[in-house]
């Protein structure tokens, strides 16, 4: 297992364009998380899935953001009509959930850095 | 808004010295975790402490938890240049059964050789 993979690692786009990021989690992990991180800040929660079900979405998340995990494996995060304020690192993480251990430890990918010009 | 707040926000020390960083949070928790992030990379889990634990050790890491003060500290002993990174505390936001982790703003540690 190669861990959590994210693609692309870097994306530069013009304002108004749509972008899509992909995340491939650790295969046996049924939870998948998306976070956004701006310079000098901690990761900000966007949404998470348990298998293919999207269980929670941040109230701060614009309607321009949508995430899917159609078969409970990989996930995509799409941002429509990008704005300069969307420039950030988009981090994906996966986990087994709280489960038997009572603790939810996340394994993160390297992130996808978005620059909106 | 982010629940955890690390203090100090930046720390610069010499190799071999100890580094202590503190985290305060606002609501009740089940667990508190510490993660490390090297520049431009994803976060890596370091250590977890449960709400019924007061102290935990892992190698050169020592974490404490004071639930009455809603605070935790992470001590890195005998620091190395390779410990240079940002460190984040994360708490489980268990409201309504949520399994998301809420991260603090982080602390940037620089260990000078």
């Amino acid at each position: 297992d190669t861990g959590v993979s994210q693609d692309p690692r870097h994306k530069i786009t013009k304002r108004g364009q749509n972008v899509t990021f992909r995340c491939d989690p650790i295969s046996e992990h049924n939870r998948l998380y998306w976070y956004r991180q701006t310079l000098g800040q901690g990761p900000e929660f966007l949404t998470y899935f348990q298998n293919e079900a999207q269980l929670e979405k941040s109230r701060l998340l614009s309607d321009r953001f949508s995430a899917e995990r159609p078969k409970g494996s990989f996930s995509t995060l799409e941002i429509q009509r990008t704005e300069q304020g969307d420039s950030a690192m988009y981090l994906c993480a996966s986990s087994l959930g709280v489960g038997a251990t009572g603790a939810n430890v996340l394994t993160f990918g390297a992130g996808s850095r978005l620059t909106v010009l | 808004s982010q629940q955890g707040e690390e203090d100090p926000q930046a720390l610069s020390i010499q190799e071999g010295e100890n580094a202590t960083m503190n985290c305060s949070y606002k609501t009740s928790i089940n667990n508190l975790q510490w993660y490390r992030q090297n520049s431009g990379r994803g976060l890596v889990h370091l250590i977890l402490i449960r709400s019924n634990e007061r102290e935990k050790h892992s190698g050169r890491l020592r974490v404490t938890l004071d639930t009455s003060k809603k605070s935790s500290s992470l001590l890195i002993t005998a620091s190395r240049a390779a410990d240079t990174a940002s460190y984040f505390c994360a708490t489980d936001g268990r409201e309504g059964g949520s399994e998301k982790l809420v991260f603090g703003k982080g602390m940037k540690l620089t260990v000078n050789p």
Side-chain angles (χ1 to χ4, degrees):
Chain A
D1 192 350
T2 57
V4 179
S5 299
Q6 292 190 244
D7 184 70
R9 291 293 314 281
H10 302 277
K11 178 71 177 179
I12 300 173
T13 191
K14 293 183 179 179
R15 188 179 53 181
Q17 298 294 306
N18 298 345
V19 295
T20 299
F21 300 113
R22 176 182 169 121
C23 173
D24 287 90
I26 292 174
S27 56
E28 59 265 31
H29 286 182
N30 56 14
R31 266 70 160 183
L32 187 147
Y33 298 76
W34 285 100
Y35 284 83
R36 175 173 61 191
Q37 185 179 28
T38 53
L39 196 62
Q41 299 294 312
E44 176 189 21
F45 171 78
L46 295 180
T47 188
Y48 88 95
F49 294 83
Q50 178 176 331
N51 299 314
E52 65 275 10
Q54 188 173 20
L55 294 190
E56 187 173 348
K57 187 175 176 181
S58 170
R59 279 169 279 181
L60 301 175
L61 202 58
S62 160
D63 289 344
R64 296 183 296 104
F65 287 70
S66 62
E68 293 183 341
R69 194 183 183 196
K71 297 182 179 179
S73 56
F74 74 92
S75 174
T76 57
L77 176 68
E78 181 183 20
I79 309 173
Q80 297 181 325
R81 305 181 302 282
T82 53
E83 302 172 356
Q84 288 184 325
D86 297 332
S87 295
M89 176 78 89
Y90 290 85
L91 295 166
C92 176
S94 68
S95 78
L96 291 169
V98 174
T101 66
N104 191 18
V105 175
L106 304 188
T107 301
F108 280 84
S112 293
R113 182 169 295 284
L114 173 65
T115 302
V116 181
L117 301 176
Chain B
S1 63
Q2 293 175 326
Q3 175 168 245
E5 294 287 340
E6 290 85 353
D7 170 59
Q9 292 195 333
L11 180 64
S12 181
I13 60 175
Q14 296 299 123
E15 218 168 18
E17 293 179 340
N18 296 342
T20 299
M21 51 206 88
N22 304 300
C23 167
S24 59
Y25 56 92
K26 296 176 183 174
T27 64
S28 62
I29 61 170
N30 290 309
N31 306 288
L32 186 143
Q33 303 179 39
W34 286 90
Y35 287 77
R36 182 184 72 200
Q37 184 179 35
N38 290 90
S39 180
R41 306 291 294 179
L43 283 75
V44 175
H45 176 257
L46 292 176
I47 193 167
L48 175 148
I49 187 164
R50 302 178 191 277
S51 60
N52 61 354
E53 296 175 317
R54 292 297 166 257
E55 186 172 315
K56 201 164 182 181
H57 297 254
S58 176
R60 294 185 297 113
L61 303 179
R62 172 179 166 251
V63 63
T64 63
L65 179 65
D66 187 335
T67 53
S68 67
K69 295 181 179 178
K70 291 187 169 56
S71 69
S72 173
S73 68
L74 175 68
L75 168 68
I76 303 174
T77 60
S79 64
R80 305 167 182 168
D83 294 328
T84 294
S86 291
Y87 292 82
F88 298 89
C89 65
T91 54
D92 54 346
R94 282 299 194 93
E95 313 84 43
S98 170
E99 290 193 359
K100 71 184 179 198
L101 292 189
V102 178
F103 287 84
K105 291 184 178 180
M107 193 214 77
K108 186 175 175 64
L109 174 66
T110 302
V111 181
N112 301 299

